[in-house]
Each structure stands twice: as structure tokens, then as C-alpha cells.
Amino acid sequence: MDGRGSEEDGREVSWRVSGMDCASCVAKVEKAVSRLPGVRAVSVNLMAERLRATLAPGAAMPEAVEAQVAALGFQATRLEAAPEALSLAWHVQGMDCAGCAAKVEAALGRLPGVSAVSVNLMAERLTLRLEPGGTEAAAIPRSLAGLGYTARPLAPAGQPAGAPPPQEHDGCRGHGHPAQDHAHGHAGHGHAHAGAGAFGHSHADHEDPADAAKPWYATAKARLVWLLGALVLGAHALSLAVAESWAYPLFLAATALAVIPFGRRAFALARAGSPFSIETLMVTAAIGAALIGAAEEAAMVVLLFAVGELLENVAAGRARAGIKALAGLMPRTALRLRADGTAEPVPSAALAVGDLVLIRPGERVPCDGLVEEGRSALDESPVTGESVPVPRGPGEAVLAGSINADGALRVRVSRAAADNTIARIIRMVEEATASRAPTQRFIERFSAWWTPGAMAVSLLVILLPPFLLGWSWWESVYRGLAVLLIACPCALVISVPAAMASGLSAGARRGLLIKGGAALEAIGGARTVAFDKTGTLTEGRPRVTDILPAAGLPEAELLALAAGAEQGSSHPLARAVVAEAAARGIALPAASGQGAIPGRAVRATIGGRAISVGSPRHAAEAGALPGPLAEAVARFEAEGKTAVVVLADGTPAGVLALRDEPRADAAASVAALSRLGVRTVMLTGDNARTAAAIAGPLGLTAKAGLLPDDKLREIAALRAAGPVVMVGDGINDAPALAAASAGVAMGGGTDVALEAADAAILKDRTTGVAELVSLSRATMANVKANVGIAVGLKGLLLVTTLLGVTGLWPAILADTGATVLVTLNALRLLAWKPAA
């Protein structure tokens, strides 16, 4: 059965109908089946010979449909519904560079029934989809083990920890095959790491899962280094004490010790679709050197290769530590209050929305929530980077991971553990590290050309010099083997993602969340930053300063009408009007039919009258702004206030004036951006006079009276002159945030703005915009330095190798050495701090 939909709606069933050969046949079948009771949504496809129908519960049976079709002279064969593909995830240990991720993607993408393979290097996570009847879930870890990695299944999203792993899912039956058993390709599978996948490193340092918890010097990879080092040093010492021929077997033993495991993995990689991996090149070079009598250099090659891989593993672990440190901000336990007021310790992950939690002085906040009782100062610097403790009291929000400084708080949980601030930050950073910046994509495309070019050079070095330059075959083979080792582009490929991951992690630890490398790159290249006004350059907490009712209308009644229409709105001006009514003890009247005219007004029906609260422009277009009120509006706007006009049944009821003060750091933010060479502009829906009163003292240009569509046009015009960053916090800002080269949402903004934006500033300070630009530029400078190191070191050693100055063991430094250097250079970004 092809069962889809709910039982109440009915079930959709499909048949294969043979014997139909024209449109008339189709019409006959549709008409006949539609006449059956309880059958609806009949659809017949002539070319596919397919009949679909929805059967109402208890009214029609599939057998009745089949009998009806048979009566027409056709044969209907019921089709079973195809089981849905499974989305599964694994935690993969042992990946140290972009080449590792590429090889995993390439190998698994070749398995039957496997699609949507995605590897997040920094999160050590593999996700893919398995089609029923193809590869079994249990075959995935076996395939990865053949490549030298260890995989542990992760529970699907929404499934509690401790649930059965994906391998036990009975929907995955099929024929499981290790990666090396398949030589055919997987149609449609794109691979962005062509170059890295062909010449990446295999990093099997965690073949024993227990290695993950061990210090770097006690892992399997480290043990291999110590053993190889002992053999090489022992052989060298022996060669100094006795004849060199006595030490030769020890050099050969060291070479064989490394060649066996590396050769085994090279063979597995070749069968999995990566025949020209660095393991293949290293094994070829080592065996070749041993065969031509250079066993000492062969031993040095394998030792340096193993040392390089160990250092790469250490560096990758340091980079991941930046993300793991975020998870460490969450306390393991929380004190949940029972109904009788007593507290019970429970795991923080077990807290549910609505639970009441006690947070004592000095403890970390275990959840996102609202304070119900108590007052304290909270240190939010671990989450937002804001160094000054923030006072919190009843009704105010607290963030998971912040530190309660002095007073006890009772907090009502507002978000589940999987959706609190820390969890969202970790998720955003992990997703960001998985995305690719334009520079990274370019480097990966370049490496795809670099690799075959370097291989061709290696072959030419072996074949041509004996005939053209008179080299001996021994010398040409030796230098050709060295060129093979230099050919790996791993250092070049990892130069960008390593820097991006460090930059993203450094920003996250300081309250600067960026959703990917592309956004990080775009922010630093911005020529213009466009700010929204309310809630971005201003505090977002306006207050009512003036109430001017029409003749004969009391102030209280005007305020009641405005607040009644505005109730329920999240706009800062609406909240200010409602708050003023509450402060004066005015009860809000019942309102119905509430709606909004975007960027113009809100409207509602109160006491049978049509009430609208909107901009003077809206009132003027409706012909409801007489001279005295227009003069009052002009006076308010000249004072930097925002005026709103209240209309009742289309006639003016009065004007309210509100003032929203600029943020204390707004001028400093504009000045910091100016020092960085970035132009600033304010885009607001407010009137020109109010906009000028705010923008003038801050030192930026203002464009006023903009509706959401107008903001989009302004963003498009700014983008024509160069990349533009839009900074906002409201629902009306979401289209502009999405249209800009990069959108930045302020920390106090709505969820809509946070979703539309490419970056978010958790600390409620506009200086975070300049910090984002500085972080982006520091990251891109690091990227350029990394590319220079990778290309420069390889180019230098390539030239010296061809000239005969350097040999095999320095050639290995062009790969593992350069990879370690660029990774360590990228780690410097973890120490990045905003300029004081």
C-alpha cells in the first residue's frame, strides 16, 4: 500500500494499470473509479501506466477499485509504497584535514543507495541518506574503518540519547558492502573536494575509540612515531659505531613498519575511489628509495610523515576545542523546584519548558528562561562577550551559560535544552564550519588542476632527464619520487577552512555569531554598512513623551484607543504605547480585527469604531492631518521625536510623540567603522527630521521615510557600488537583511531577523559591527598567509628538488610540514580579541 496522509483524510493507494493505450482509456478508468463510493482524487498517468486514488476510511477497499478496472478490460496491480530514505548521522574520529573529509565523502558516495553525504570536519560529524534496498547502515562504519577512521552512530534529531543506534533500524535492510567492494560511481553525486580527495591524508590515529580520551602522546599515532623514532635513531647510532651495512637492516625495518599500515590504507583508498592518495605517494616513494639503496632516506620519509600526521592531529584537536568549549559553558546539573518548594538536582538536559529552577550565587544558569523571583547581576561574558555584569529581575530574560553573581534567582524555563542559547550557538558554529567560503571553493578548484599538473611534472622528471640532461636513472627516479611527495595539495586545501574555523570559533566565544565562511568573507569586504534605526542605533525602548488629543477628547481616552489597537504587537513603539497606558492605570479596551499596513499603520476595531495608529504620512495620504496637528507633528519631529497619528473612523483623534534615545556606543561604532574605511548610512521608516536628529550627532548619513520595499531598493543601490552589510533587529528588516551582501542581526532582535541574517551580535552593543569587520579582515589575512605558506614552501622545495639540492625527506616537509604550519597559523586566530 502507498499509505500517505492521515486516517481521517484517507489513504492514497497506487496501482499499475496495464492495457491502456490511449486518452480514451484513461478517461474510462478515471470515470469508472471515481463513481465508487468513498473514492476521490483519482489520477491516471497513461505513459507511466499508473493509477492513484485516495480511499476514505471504511468506505472503499482497494479490491473494489481493482474489480472496477478489471470490468473495463484492464489489469490493476497494487503497488507497495516505497519506504522512505533514512537520514542518519555518525561521529567520525580521526579526521584532521579537508582531505580526510573529502575522502570520506568520495568513498561513501560510491556505495549503492547512499546520497546527500555531508562531512563536517570540525564537528567530526557525518550525515547521509540511505535508500532502502541499498547499503545497510552497519556497512558505513566498516567502510570508514577501511579508510582508517572510527565511526560511532548518533541518535537522529529529536531522538533521545541512548536510543538504538541507526544500525539497528529495521528499515535499512539490504546488501551492505564495504567501500572497497564497489568500483562503480554514484550518479549525481557532486564532490567539491576533488583535489583534496585524491591526495588527502589518512589520519587513523583513533583506530581504538579509547584514543579519543587519551593525551596526544599516548594515542596509536604517537606510539607509531615513538617506535619509528627509536628504530631510526638506533640505526643511525649503530651506523656511527659499526659498519653502515650493519645499520641498513634497521632502516629497512623502520621503513617496513610504516609501509605496512600505510600501504594497507592506500590499497583501501584506491578501491574506494582515491587511488592517488598521499599514502600511495608516500609508500611508492619509500619503497622506491629502499629499492635504489636509499633505505636511510626512506626511513626518514616515513618517520617525518608519521610525525607530521601526529602534529596535524594535535592541531586539529586544538581547533575543535574552541567549539567544544562552548558546550562546557553548560552546567551538568540544575536544581529543579518541586511543587512543595524543595529542590531536586536533575541533569540540565532534562529540563523542560515550564520547569522552575533555583540558581544560587556563583552558579551557571542551566537554561534560557524568565526570572520569576529574585534579583541579581549576571555575568553574560561567556555567552555574549559583554564584560559588564547585567542586572536581572522579575520578568527579565536570562541566558543559559551565564554566571549568577550575587543573588539567588528562581527562573522559569522558556526553551528546551536542545534549543537554548548555548545549543543554538553550537549548532550555528558547527553549520558555519561546514559551509565553504568563495575563496575556499576557488582553492579547491585550483587544487584539482594542481594535482594532475604536479603528477605530470613528476613523470617527466623521471623519463626525460636521462635523455635530455644526462642524468642517471637512479637520480631521475629519486628526484621524481620527491616531486611525487611535493605534489599533494593538502596544505593548500586546508589553508582556508582551518583559518575560517578558527575565526568562526573566536567570534562565537565573543558573542559574534557568523553563519558560514561566505558571510565571514563578505563582512570584511564591505564598503558600506547600513543601519536600521529603532532597536539598532537606538536603545529600542522608546517612551511616550507627549500626548496631544483632538479637541474634546481626554488624554486618557486617546491613549486607551492607541494602546488597544497596538496591544499584541512586538514593535518597540507599540510596546511603548501599551507600557504608558499601563503606567497610568488605563485598562486596555477590547479590540478585534487587528491588522497591519506594513510600514504605515496598525488598525483594529474598538467599541465599534475603526481605529488606526500610524505614521503622519499615512494620515496625510488619508486626508486626516489638519493644520494644527500637522504643525504639532512638525514640532515633535524637529525635537527628534517620532510622531504617530491616531485616527477614529478616518478622523484625527490626536497625536502621540515618542522618543527613542541613541545607544551609548552608537557614535563609537560609527567612528570605528570609519577608521576601518567603511561608509555608514542609516535606513529608517521614520520621517526625515527625526532621522536627521538621530543620525547627525552620530556622524552618519540618513535615508528616511522608507517602507520595507524602499529599504530593499536602497540596499540594491548600495550593492551596485560595492558589498554592503545591513544591520537590523526587526521583522521589517528581514527582507533587507537577506538582500544585503551580509545581514547582521542585533542580539535583542526577533527570531525572524536572526534567521534572515548571516551573522548575529549577541551582546547588545553596536560596536560589535566593527568587531565583525575586524574579525573578518583578520581571518582573510590569515587565509592569505596560509596560502602563501602552502604554495611558497611547495614551490621552493620543488625547485630545489629539481636542482638536486634537496631530496626525499625534505620533500615530505612540503606536505605534512606545510599542513602543520598553516594549521598552527590558523590557530592563532583563536586568540583574536577586539581592539580596545
Side-chain angles (χ1 to χ4, degrees):
M1 294 282 179
D2 188 46
R4 286 176 285 226
S6 67
E7 290 297 327
E8 292 79 6
D9 296 336
R11 52 177 177 160
E12 185 179 285
V13 185
S14 298
W15 293 264
R16 181 180 181 85
V17 180
S18 56
M20 299 186 300
D21 53 19
C22 66
S24 177
C25 299
V26 171
K28 290 177 186 178
V29 171
E30 284 186 347
K31 184 175 181 180
V33 173
S34 298
R35 294 171 64 89
L36 292 174
V39 178
R40 58 181 183 272
V42 179
S43 172
V44 180
N45 187 316
L46 174 64
M47 301 310 296
E49 298 183 298
R50 183 68 54 85
L51 161 65
R52 288 190 178 90
T54 300
L55 308 183
M61 299 296 292
E63 292 80 3
V65 175
E66 292 155 12
Q68 188 82 323
V69 173
L72 300 176
F74 307 114
Q75 181 180 357
T77 304
R78 203 178 316 168
L79 300 175
E80 296 294 329
E84 294 186 359
L86 292 172
S87 294
L88 303 177
W90 287 265
H91 179 263
V92 181
Q93 295 175 342
M95 298 187 299
D96 292 342
C97 69
C100 299
K103 284 191 288 190
V104 169
E105 288 183 356
L108 297 183
R110 296 167 63 88
L111 298 179
V114 175
S115 61
V117 181
S118 175
V119 178
N120 187 323
L121 175 65
M122 302 311 299
E124 298 181 286
R125 181 172 299 148
L126 159 69
T127 58
L128 51 77
R129 291 178 64 82
L130 291 181
E131 300 291 341
T135 302
E136 290 181 342
I140 301 300
R142 293 198 301 269
S143 299
L144 293 174
L147 302 180
Y149 308 111
T150 302
R152 174 174 55 83
L154 297 175
Q159 181 173 310
Q167 283 90 329
E168 298 175 9
H169 200 294
D170 58 8
C172 292
R173 296 187 184 98
H175 301 287
H177 305 278
Q180 56 266 37
D181 292 340
H182 293 276
H184 60 276
H186 179 67
H189 178 70
H191 201 319
H193 293 290
F199 287 87
H201 299 273
S202 176
H203 306 283
D205 58 316
H206 294 318
E207 290 177 1
D208 180 0
D211 276 356
K214 292 180 180 179
W216 65 269
Y217 51 80
T219 61
K221 184 171 286 186
R223 292 194 298 271
L224 176 62
V225 170
W226 307 144
L227 184 55
L228 284 176
L231 285 173
V232 172
L233 289 176
H236 182 67
L238 188 61
S239 67
L240 296 177
V242 298
E244 187 173 337
S245 59
W246 287 86
Y248 193 82
L250 279 181
F251 287 120
L252 285 179
T255 304
L257 181 66
V259 162
I260 291 173
F262 289 139
R264 186 170 60 247
R265 287 203 295 274
F267 183 68
L269 286 166
R271 301 188 67 179
S274 300
F276 300 108
S277 64
I278 184 59
E279 285 81 8
T280 302
L281 303 185
M282 191 276 295
V283 169
T284 301
I287 294 176
L291 291 177
I292 62 176
E296 183 174 357
E297 292 198 65
M300 285 298 298
V301 165
V302 295
L303 174 60
L304 288 172
F305 183 81
V307 169
E309 291 206 324
L310 176 61
L311 292 176
E312 287 177 25
N313 175 62
V314 174
R318 287 283 304 278
R320 291 190 184 104
I323 297 176
K324 293 177 181 177
L326 295 172
L329 296 177
M330 283 296 295
R332 294 182 179 274
T333 59
L335 290 176
R336 184 170 60 191
L337 293 173
R338 301 186 180 96
D340 61 4
T342 60
E344 60 173 338
V346 297
S348 298
L351 293 176
V353 175
D355 284 348
L356 190 62
V357 178
L358 173 64
I359 307 170
R360 296 173 298 195
E363 293 181 341
R364 284 190 183 272
V365 178
C367 61
D368 284 0
L370 298 174
V371 178
E372 286 210 348
E373 185 180 337
R375 289 188 176 277
S376 182
L378 294 183
D379 178 7
E380 297 180 348
S381 59
V383 183
T384 67
E386 179 59 71
S387 59
V388 180
V390 182
R392 292 285 185 255
E396 295 184 301
V398 297
L399 300 178
S402 53
I403 302 171
N404 184 17
D406 46 31
L409 296 175
R410 283 174 169 79
V411 174
R412 185 73 65 181
V413 179
S414 61
R415 290 183 188 269
D419 197 37
N420 65 31
T421 300
I422 296 298
R424 295 170 76 188
I425 291 173
I426 293 172
R427 216 163 31 238
M428 185 180 291
V429 174
E430 287 182 347
E431 291 169 358
T433 56
S435 69
R436 295 182 175 94
T439 300
Q440 181 177 345
R441 290 194 292 267
F442 169 77
I443 291 295
E444 287 169 353
R445 289 195 301 269
F446 174 77
S447 67
W449 289 94
W450 166 287
T451 300
M455 290 182 63
V457 170
S458 174
L459 185 61
L460 292 175
V461 168
I462 292 174
L463 297 179
L464 296 184
F467 301 102
L468 301 180
L469 302 176
W471 292 3
S472 67
W473 282 104
W474 183 96
E475 185 178 11
S476 64
V477 170
Y478 180 87
R479 295 187 189 181
L481 293 176
V483 171
L484 269 183
L485 294 176
I486 298 171
C488 177
C490 283
L492 182 62
V493 172
I494 200 176
S495 60
V496 180
M500 290 290 180
S502 294
L504 293 168
S505 297
R509 294 208 307 239
R510 290 163 179 82
L512 308 174
L513 297 185
I514 307 158
K515 293 186 178 179
L520 182 59
E521 185 172 341
I523 290 171
R527 298 182 60 182
T528 305
V529 171
F531 289 94
D532 174 51
K533 179 177 77 71
T534 304
T536 303
L537 287 172
T538 63
E539 294 285 352
R541 293 188 292 271
R543 60 182 182 86
V544 176
T545 58
D546 301 270
I547 301 176
L548 182 62
L553 187 68
E555 279 190 7
E557 185 175 348
L558 173 62
L559 187 57
L561 291 174
E566 297 274 25
Q567 60 185 311
S569 173
S570 62
H571 194 282
L573 296 179
R575 292 198 299 266
V577 173
V578 173
E580 183 67 18
R584 296 189 179 209
I586 298 173
L588 298 185
S592 61
Q594 290 171 294
I597 304 173
R600 295 176 181 268
V602 296
R603 53 192 176 190
T605 301
I606 299 176
R609 290 190 292 174
I611 306 298
S612 73
V613 183
S615 66
R617 175 180 173 183
H618 172 68
E621 290 174 351
L625 192 63
L629 285 185
E631 292 174 3
V633 166
R635 184 177 71 254
F636 292 145
E637 292 176 348
E639 296 170 356
K641 299 174 181 177
T642 299
V644 294
V645 180
V646 183
L647 304 180
D649 290 328
T651 61
V655 177
L656 303 179
L658 302 94
R659 171 85 179 185
D660 186 12
E661 298 298 329
R663 291 178 183 268
D665 67 327
S669 175
V670 173
L673 288 169
S674 178
R675 289 194 296 271
L676 292 171
V678 179
R679 175 192 171 208
T680 53
V681 62
M682 183 176 77
L683 306 180
T684 178
D686 220 330
N687 64 87
R689 285 188 291 268
T690 300
I694 297 293
L698 298 181
L700 45 72
T701 305
K703 294 184 181 292
L706 303 178
L707 299 176
D709 288 346
D710 298 325
K711 286 188 177 182
L712 284 178
R713 284 192 289 272
E714 288 293 337
I715 291 294
L718 291 171
R719 287 195 68 172
V724 58
V725 169
M726 174 68 192
V727 186
D729 76 325
I731 292 176
N732 287 342
D733 300 323
L737 289 171
S741 305
V744 177
M746 295 297 293
T750 65
D751 285 342
V752 175
L754 290 172
E755 290 298 323
D758 300 296
I761 302 171
L762 291 185
K763 51 188 173 185
D764 210 19
R765 296 193 292 120
T766 54
T767 49
V769 180
E771 292 172 5
L772 277 173
V773 174
S774 297
L775 174 61
S776 172
R777 293 184 178 179
T779 303
M780 295 313 298
N782 193 283
V783 165
K784 292 174 183 176
N786 278 351
V787 171
I789 291 171
V791 175
L793 187 55
K794 285 181 178 291
L796 175 64
L797 287 177
L798 180 62
V799 171
T800 56
T801 298
L802 292 177
L803 294 176
V805 177
T806 56
L808 281 176
W809 69 265
I812 202 70
L813 293 177
D815 176 62
T816 56
T819 302
V820 170
L821 285 176
V822 300
T823 305
L824 293 176
N825 185 50
L827 288 177
R828 293 190 305 107
L829 280 172
L830 294 175
W832 176 87
K833 292 181 180 179

